[in-house]
């Protein structure tokens, strides 16, 4: 285990900041009136979603690459990544004129794969979770004599991520609580080092998905644990084990680690998009989920900064998330009923629904496969609605006119 003297320092982070000039951008940290009112805090967001690669990971990757000796990068660099670190390595390496190979889980969202290739990385798909991809990358490192860039467990990577903390201190000097997503711990290690050393009064919390709780359980146990990591909507923090280098920083500087469920993360993504006008991937949305579900203690009225770590979410997954959330909030509903199998019957059904303000999204009209009665057709109709009361009004209007209505939950 590392000792205190082995931890990175604020000076290491300041050097990283100098090294990253012209490579990364200073992202905004802004107060949200809407979420402040909703959460009962002064809610600040650090928008690493606006970083050049759509994620904070560029900071650590580029700092590591720029700190390597020429002989270390001559053959090229390699890494394993669920996506964001891979994009950071690809971009950082291409800026430095270094060839890069990125090993990704087969389950990585397509947008992250394509973006990594676009940024100059050679993508290899292997394994279903990060740790399996990491094993493959390590094997390729040995066989091809490449330089491995670890996504979190490396001092230069930690220092690069810590530059986020320096910016937050300048942008939100009244910060009292800082909430950061955590998987392997690279970001929270660097940020917590910067913040706690320069402003010790700030309380710092990590947020992890309950589908991969290794950091949270290790923190409680006081030593590193390796735990299963299920497939998660927060793929960027679905890690089986925190890092050997990151964990001592976490123990020294972090006040607590909490978990949120997959459903809580899913609804947080949609809430941030709808009310905050910001696209956040699952790992990023976890911080809002933790505050929305009261996981962080003693924050009422305080200045709370949430780090939105990345925006690289697959558009198909986002569409499914939105649809499911609309169903749960009763703004999307599917009705099933029967109409006589005669001309004009369907038009009459749609007229009634239209008079009640229901907007048709899709419709299925069937005489055979849905087992309707003879001389009748069964109708499945999906509607945009306002809320549960609106749905009940439509159902009541149809029932009054003799329609039998089933509502899919």
């Amino acid at each position: 285990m590392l000792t205190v003297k082995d931890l990175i320092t604020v000076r290491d982070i300041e050097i990283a900041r100098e090294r990253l000039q012209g490579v990364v951008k200073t992202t905004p940290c802004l107060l949200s009136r809407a979420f402040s009112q909703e959460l009962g805090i002064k809610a600040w967001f650090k928008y690493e979603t606006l970083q050049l690669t759509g994620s904070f990971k560029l900071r650590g990757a580029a700092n590591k690459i720029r700190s390597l000796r020429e002989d270390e990068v001559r053959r090229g660099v390699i890494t394993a990544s669920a996506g964001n670190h891979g994009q950071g390595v690809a971009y950082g390496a291409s800026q430095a004129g270094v060839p890069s190979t990125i090993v990704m889980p087969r389950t990585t969202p397509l947008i992250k794969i394509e973006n990594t290739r676009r940024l100059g990385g050679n993508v290899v798909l292997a394994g279903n979770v990060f740790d399996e991809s990491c094993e493959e990358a390590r094997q390729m490192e040995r066989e091809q004599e490449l330089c491995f860039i670890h996504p979190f467990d490396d001092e230069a990577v930690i220092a690069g991520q810590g530059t986020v903390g320096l910016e937050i201190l300048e942008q939100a000097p009244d910060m009292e609580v800082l909430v950061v997503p955590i998987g392997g711990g690279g970001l929270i290690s660097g940020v917590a080092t910067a913040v706690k050393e320069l402003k010790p009064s700030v309380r710092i919390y990590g947020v992890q998905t309950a589908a991969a709780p290794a950091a949270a359980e290790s923190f409680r146990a006081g030593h590193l644990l390796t735990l299963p990591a299920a497939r998660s909507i927060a793929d960027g923090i679905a890690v089986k084990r925190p890092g050997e280098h990151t964990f001592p920083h976490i123990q020294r500087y972090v006040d607590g680690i909490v978990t949120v469920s997959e459903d809580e993360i899913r609804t947080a993504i949609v809430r941030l998009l709808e009310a905050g006008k910001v696209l956040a991937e699952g790992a990023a949305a976890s911080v809002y989920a933790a505050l929305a579900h009261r996981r962080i203690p003693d924050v009422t009225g305080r200045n709370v900064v949430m780090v939105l770590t990345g925006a690289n979410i697959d558009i198909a997954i986002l569409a499914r998330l939105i649809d499911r959330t609309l169903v749960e909030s009763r703004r999307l509903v599917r009705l099933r009923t029967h109409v006589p199998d005669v001309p004009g019957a369907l038009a009459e059904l749609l007229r009634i629904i239209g008079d009640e303000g229901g907007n048709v999204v899709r419709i299925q009209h069937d005489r055979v496969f849905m087992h309707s009665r003879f001389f009748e057709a069964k109708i499945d109709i999906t509607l945009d609605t306002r809320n549960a009361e609106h749905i009940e009004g439509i159902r009541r209007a149809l029932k009054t006119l003799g329609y039998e209505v089933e509502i899919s939950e």
Side-chain angles (χ1 to χ4, degrees):
M1 181 65 70
L2 301 180
T3 63
V4 172
K5 67 178 181 178
D6 296 313
L7 303 182
I8 69 162
T9 66
V10 173
R11 181 55 186 154
D12 294 321
I13 299 170
E14 291 170 342
I15 291 171
R17 191 177 195 180
E18 294 167 6
R19 193 180 280 140
L20 293 174
Q21 290 293 323
V23 182
V24 303
K25 64 187 294 186
T26 299
T27 57
C29 184
L30 304 174
L31 179 68
S32 167
R33 292 182 181 274
F35 287 117
S36 293
Q37 184 174 9
E38 176 184 315
L39 299 173
I41 61 176
K42 296 181 181 71
W44 295 76
F45 290 106
K46 175 62 170 170
Y47 290 95
E48 283 297 288
T49 51
L50 300 177
Q51 195 51 260
L52 295 170
T53 58
S55 164
F56 77 95
K57 286 283 193 176
L58 173 59
R59 296 174 183 264
N63 187 51
K64 175 64 175 181
I65 291 167
R66 287 174 177 261
S67 67
L68 294 172
R69 300 187 309 271
E70 184 178 346
D71 62 291
E72 290 180 297
V73 296
R74 190 175 298 119
R75 294 179 183 273
V77 297
I78 188 169
T79 194
S81 170
N84 287 334
H85 175 67
Q87 292 179 64
V89 170
Y91 182 78
S94 65
Q95 290 293 300
V98 177
S100 63
T101 299
I102 321 298
V103 183
M104 292 181 157
R106 296 187 185 93
T107 54
T108 301
L110 181 61
I111 186 174
K112 293 183 179 181
I113 296 172
E114 292 304 316
N115 284 347
T116 303
R117 287 173 174 154
R118 179 177 55 81
L119 292 168
N122 170 38
V123 175
V124 175
L125 299 179
N128 293 314
V129 295
F130 163 76
D131 299 86
E132 295 171 1
S133 301
C134 194
E135 291 176 10
E136 176 66 21
R138 287 295 198 181
Q139 180 66 26
M140 294 176 67
E141 172 199 7
R142 291 187 292 269
E143 292 174 351
Q144 301 178 32
E145 297 183 357
L146 303 173
C147 182
F148 186 78
I149 310 294
H150 200 284
F152 54 83
D153 204 23
D154 180 281
E155 292 93 336
V157 170
I158 294 170
Q161 318 303 27
T163 60
V164 174
L166 295 180
E167 291 178 14
I168 292 172
L169 286 169
E170 295 167 355
Q171 296 165 324
D174 295 328
M175 171 178 57
E176 297 168 278
V177 181
L178 177 61
V179 188
V180 186
I182 180 172
L187 175 63
I188 200 168
S189 294
V191 170
T193 299
V195 171
K196 282 285 194 178
E197 287 294 328
L198 296 173
K199 191 176 182 183
S201 63
V202 176
R203 289 186 289 121
I204 301 176
Y205 293 90
V207 183
Q208 187 164 51
T209 171
E217 294 301 323
S218 296
F219 186 80
R220 293 188 190 98
H223 58 86
L224 283 171
L225 297 173
T226 302
L227 298 177
R231 187 177 181 186
S232 171
I233 189 67
D235 56 291
I237 52 175
V239 177
K240 290 182 179 180
R241 180 182 175 91
E244 297 284 345
H245 293 281
T246 63
F247 193 60
H249 294 82
I250 294 166
Q251 288 182 300
R252 182 174 177 83
Y253 294 116
V254 174
D255 294 284
I257 301 176
V258 302
T259 61
V260 288
S261 72
E262 290 290 294
D263 282 343
E264 288 166 345
I265 294 172
R266 174 175 54 80
T267 56
I269 293 171
V270 179
R271 182 64 183 157
L272 285 167
L273 182 62
E274 185 173 38
K277 314 307 177 193
V278 58
L279 180 62
E281 59 188 79
S286 68
V287 291
Y288 166 77
L291 285 157
H293 294 278
R294 305 296 187 262
R295 300 290 198 281
I296 310 297
D298 190 28
V299 293
T300 302
R302 297 187 184 277
N303 282 285
V304 181
V305 176
M306 292 168 270
V307 181
L308 295 179
T309 47
N312 296 316
I313 186 169
D314 186 273
I315 194 68
I317 292 175
L318 180 62
R320 287 162 56 193
L321 291 175
I322 292 171
D323 279 348
R324 182 171 292 189
T325 303
L326 289 174
V327 170
E328 291 172 351
S329 63
R330 313 305 283 164
R331 288 182 288 170
L332 188 69
V333 68
R334 187 174 68 183
L335 307 179
R336 174 170 287 184
T337 190
H338 297 80
V339 297
D341 189 14
V342 296
L346 178 59
E348 175 62 14
L349 172 69
L350 296 178
R351 182 193 65 76
I352 297 166
I353 291 172
D355 288 346
E356 294 297 320
N359 184 50
V360 177
V361 176
R362 65 181 69 92
I363 187 167
Q364 183 177 1
H365 177 279
D366 186 85
R367 299 185 183 93
V368 179
F369 293 103
M370 291 197 294
H371 306 292
S372 58
R373 293 185 288 266
F374 208 72
F375 297 126
E376 283 188 343
K378 188 170 285 187
I379 307 296
D380 272 354
I381 185 166
T382 303
L383 305 172
D384 281 330
T385 50
R386 293 187 294 274
N387 48 40
E389 290 75 21
H390 188 203
I391 294 170
E392 178 57 23
I394 294 171
R395 188 198 67 80
R396 210 166 33 240
L398 290 170
K399 186 176 180 181
T400 299
L401 293 173
Y403 293 92
E404 299 174 7
V405 180
E406 300 173 29
I407 298 177
S408 298
E409 298 293 341

